[in-house]
Each structure stands twice: as C-alpha cells, then as structure tokens.
Amino acid sequence: MQLPDKNGYFGEFGGKFIPETLSVCLEELTASYHKIKRDRGFLKEFNYLLKNYAHRPTILYFAANLSRLLSMKIYFKREDLLHTGAHKINNSLGQALLAKYMGKKRVIAETGAGQHGVAVATASALLGLECNIYMGEEDIHRQSMNVLRMKMLGAEVIPVKTGSRTLKDACNEAFRDWVTNVRNTYYLLGSVVGPHPYPMLVRDFQSVIGKESRRQILKQESRLPDYLLACVGGGSNAIGLFYPFYQDKKVKFIGVEAAGFGLNSLHSASLVKGELGVFQGSRSFVLQDYFGQIQNAHSIAPGLDYPGVGPEHSFYKSVKRAEYVAVGDDQAVEGFKLLSETEGIIPALETSHAVAYLKPLSKKNKGSLVIVCLSGRGDKDLDIISKYKTEYGRSDKEIRGKK
Ligand SMILES: *Cc1c(COP(=O)(O)O)cnc(C)c1O
C-alpha cells in the first residue's frame, strides 16, 4: 500500500484544501520532491548532513533504572542529542536542501514557540539561504530566547500584528508571502500537517528516526518492540518513529497528546477529543467548538500547543493502527522529573508527556519491550518548570482539594 495516494489522501484524511493561488506553488513542490527522492546526489548530501552535522545515528539507549522501576524493558531513541537538541533539525535540513536543489535562494517559515524557527534558521545558515521567520507579536514576547537565537543565526524575524498575533496569523502571512514570491522562495513547514505534499515529505525526512530504531532494536534485543511511544503535537516525531514499523503489525503504536491544565480537560488533544474538519489546508481531526470554529489549544509544552494534527495520524486512528491517549500538565511535569531523576536525562516538556504515559502503560504490560521517542532536551523548559508550582500547580491542587 502506498500512503498517501497521488492526491495526498491517507484514506479520507489529508488532501489539499487551499486557495487557487497556492496550487501552483504546491504542484512545483510536489514535482520537485518526487524528483529529488530518487536523486543520488541529493540523498548522498542529505545523509552526509544528517551524519556529520546533525550527529546521526542517534543512540537507542536502554534505560536500566526506569526499566527496573516500572518492570518493563524501556529504550529511548535519543533525538535530544542532535544538534539544536530536538528532532526538528532532521526535517529542516531535508527541506532546506530541497530548496537549494530547487534553485530557491530564500526560505520562509512560521513559528509559534520558536523551536521550528530556530531549526529553520540553523539549516538556512548552514546552506547559505536567506531566512525570514514569521512570528506572532504575542509569541515574540513569550519566546524571547528563541527570537534571539534566530537573529544570531542570521534570520530575520518578522512580527505579525494581525488577528490574535499568534501562530495562526503568522501562518496566513507566510502563505501570503509564498504566493507573492514563489519564484525565489521556499516555504518550510515544521510538522506532518498542512496541504499535500507536506505531510508526506516531512514524514519521509523524519522516518530516519524509525529506520534507525528498527535496525538498532533488532541488533540490541534480537526482536521487534511491543510498543512504540511518542508525543504528538503536529505529529512529526511520532510518525517518524511509527512509519517504518507500519507493516510490523505486532508492534503497537501509542501517540500521546497534551490534555493541558486541570482535571478531565483535553485542551490540546486533537485526536482524542477533536472532530473531523479542515484546518490549515488538509482534512484531519481538529479541536473545534459546536459551531465548527477552531479552538485554541493549551498545554504546558510549547510544542504541543496546536489545535490540529497530521492527517496520517487521523488515518492510523481510524483504521486502529495506532492508539492515542492524552496526558495533562501535572502528569507531564511528573514525567519530566521521573526521567531526570532516574536516568539523569532532562527531557523536553513535549517529550515528558510520552514519558509520563509509561507509568499507566506498565500497569498491564509488565515485561514489555518499549521504545520511546525522546524528541528533545529539556533545558529550554527549566523556566516553565520552576514557575509551574506557583503559577499552575497550586491552583490545580486546590481544585483537587475541593473534590
Ligand atoms: C516541536 C516539538 C514536538 C512536537 O512536534 P511534532 O511534530 O508532534 O513532533 C515534540 N517534541 C519536541 C522536543 C519538539 O520540539
């Protein structure tokens, strides 16, 4: 089976829901991508960069202490050890190189938390591409460290003052720019979302995570894992891990979404709580209200704060190839501390959602072999964690106290 089909559909999900003006841009991109996918020169250069610049292959680390504690065999795929500290660099390098092969001199992107912006600015600096990052004014204030990083890397950060001045508005501005400047400009999307061909090409660039993991676990354990576990924002680190195991029907996939703050809340869980809709150019599960308006997502993890999810995940859910669960802020903070204290590894808050789910998973799965995608390092989140108790934690405990 070939996923997606030639129109970009994963079953009933995906596709291209875009204004007419964008279709020329996307058609050029699709054609170029199919060409470079089989181009020896491109693949050689991409693999060279992954190895010598990003620092691949990343290790598959056996977490002995945590395994003993939870009575499972737990491995972590260490994407946190990559240059810039997360899996996002795999995709940015792949697409920036594609831009170069397409003869584009300029790369644009939109960013919310700034992590994707930093990865794009990094790849652009390396490959000598001009880089413009659209960012909502509100987000610029909240993420000043990442704004500074992008500037250091030679990128221009363009503040977006329209609408709610966040990611959604930055996205609109970036698309407007692309339509106007497509002759010399490449639009670099950060996750397995958006119109075809982005969900496919981002997945392909991130699949290196799963390909390496499969080879490594066979070497280290002489068998395939029982579970693959990954956090899901847009869904790129999860699909990157899952996809190369797609045909291994005995390997179960679990995607962990963010439930956000408070008990029984599902503020950022598109797959667990969302409904079918069209969002940012493709059909997928999305958080919307009774009238079909897109709802804002909320999570303690900046990278999971997104109301949509990639169409391939919606497909995996609908055919029951993967299961999706939601983990709240409190649990994520527990997961953060658990991995830090038992293994000496500080995970990103996004990743901490997947770590947190190990505990409930272990209840009924003693002895299981599990691979968790450690999508990023947590240094960037220390500030949030140190403020958590006073800003969110106490009031949440108060809510519990009253029950
Ligand atoms: C951005 C980010 C995520 C969420 O993005 P996906 O596309 O769902 O992978 C998860 N973990 C880290 C560390 C991130 O930076």
Side-chain angles (χ1 to χ4, degrees):
M1 185 186 51
Q2 185 79 16
L3 277 177
D5 68 17
K6 69 180 193 328
N7 296 316
Y9 278 92
F10 305 84
E12 61 175 311
F13 308 99
K16 262 194 272 194
F17 294 82
I18 45 154
E20 192 64 39
T21 45
L22 263 182
S23 60
V24 182
C25 307
L26 290 169
E27 268 157 35
E28 186 202 7
L29 177 60
T30 307
S32 305
Y33 178 64
H34 283 303
K35 208 153 70 191
I36 60 100
K37 216 167 75 171
R38 275 173 257 113
D39 182 312
R40 285 238 183 92
F42 177 90
L43 295 173
K44 202 170 153 201
E45 203 172 339
F46 182 44
N47 287 328
Y48 179 89
L49 292 179
L50 288 179
K51 181 171 177 219
N52 298 290
Y53 184 73
H55 203 177
R56 304 208 71 93
T58 56
I59 55 177
L60 185 66
Y61 166 73
F62 176 58
N65 298 335
L66 195 59
S67 295
R68 212 175 303 119
L69 190 71
L70 298 178
S71 309
M72 294 193 295
K73 238 176 179 178
I74 302 164
Y75 281 83
F76 286 99
K77 183 59 173 163
R78 298 289 307 272
E79 297 298 291
D80 61 316
L81 296 177
L82 289 172
H83 177 48
T84 66
H87 69 291
K88 286 192 172 71
I89 193 72
N90 302 324
N91 170 52
S92 286
L93 283 174
Q95 287 197 63
L97 195 61
L98 171 58
K100 212 171 154 179
Y101 271 67
M102 288 172 75
K104 312 283 183 190
K105 304 269 185 269
R106 174 173 179 259
V107 167
I108 57 169
E110 89 289 334
T111 194
Q115 290 152 226
H116 174 53
V118 170
V120 175
T122 302
S124 300
L126 176 72
L127 297 175
L129 298 159
E130 185 190 340
C131 179
N132 290 182
I133 306 289
Y134 285 92
M135 195 167 180
E137 215 169 33
E138 199 58 41
D139 289 331
I140 288 182
H141 290 305
R142 281 193 292 225
Q143 305 288 344
S144 54
M145 274 306 283
N146 280 336
V147 174
L148 220 56
R149 278 194 192 100
M150 288 182 257
K151 288 183 175 165
M152 295 299 155
L153 293 161
E156 189 187 338
V157 179
I158 304 173
V160 175
K161 299 172 196 212
T162 51
S164 58
R165 297 178 297 153
T166 55
L167 181 67
K168 194 163 68 220
D169 315 286
C171 210
N172 292 340
E173 289 299 317
F175 271 130
R176 202 165 300 153
D177 180 323
W178 197 29
V179 171
T180 317
N181 300 301
V182 66
R183 275 190 51 214
N184 72 342
T185 300
Y186 183 95
Y187 179 53
L188 207 163
L189 227 156
S191 191
V192 287
V193 298
H196 181 63
Y198 286 108
M200 171 181 73
L201 69 86
V202 176
R203 174 201 68 196
D204 291 352
F205 289 138
Q206 291 292 5
S207 288
V208 66
I209 301 173
K211 282 183 203 154
E212 284 177 10
S213 298
R214 201 174 181 286
R215 200 169 59 230
Q216 289 167 319
I217 199 73
L218 286 173
K219 188 153 179 227
Q220 288 166 238
E221 287 288 335
S222 307
R223 74 173 184 101
L224 291 172
D226 299 304
Y227 288 99
L228 300 179
L229 204 57
C231 67
V232 175
S236 69
N237 86 88
I239 280 290
L241 176 65
F242 296 171
Y243 183 66
F245 291 86
Y246 188 84
Q247 304 292 353
D248 304 311
K249 297 292 176 197
K250 284 194 178 145
V251 181
K252 298 184 193 82
F253 304 164
I254 302 177
V256 185
E257 296 194 292
F261 157 72
L263 294 170
N264 304 318
S265 66
L266 292 166
H267 293 304
S268 199
S270 325
L271 286 155
V272 173
K273 189 204 168 201
E275 286 169 65
L276 194 55
V278 170
F279 180 59
Q280 292 186 342
S282 69
R283 186 192 286 146
S284 193
F285 285 107
V286 57
L287 291 174
Q288 45 196 317
D289 64 18
Y290 181 74
F291 301 102
Q293 293 291 319
I294 306 303
Q295 283 183 331
N296 285 328
H298 297 289
S299 167
I300 189 175
L304 301 184
D305 217 341
Y306 180 71
V309 68
E312 191 160 2
H313 283 294
S314 295
F315 175 71
Y316 284 13
K317 178 186 154 105
S318 75
V319 298
K320 299 194 163 62
R321 180 64 188 91
E323 180 194 352
Y324 296 89
V325 297
V327 155
D329 290 351
D330 269 9
Q331 265 179 294
V333 171
E334 270 174 41
F336 182 96
K337 290 183 178 158
L338 179 66
L339 190 61
S340 301
E341 288 169 13
T342 56
E343 296 290 339
I345 299 170
I346 300 179
L349 267 173
E350 293 84 1
T351 317
S352 301
H353 287 73
V355 175
Y357 195 69
L358 283 168
K359 236 181 191 169
L361 184 70
S362 72
K363 297 245 159 72
K364 286 184 186 156
N365 292 282
K366 301 284 179 226
S368 289
L369 179 59
V370 185
I371 297 178
V372 185
C373 185
L374 217 172
S375 56
R377 55 187 292 163
D379 306 55
K380 68 180 180 64
D381 298 320
L382 294 179
D383 203 34
I384 303 178
I385 289 280
S386 64
K387 285 181 186 150
Y388 181 74
K389 278 194 195 79
T390 51
E391 266 184 35
Y392 312 93
R394 196 193 298 145
S395 48
D396 203 23
K397 297 251 160 60
E398 279 165 13
I399 294 167
R400 285 182 189 187
K402 278 179 197 148
K403 284 223 156 182

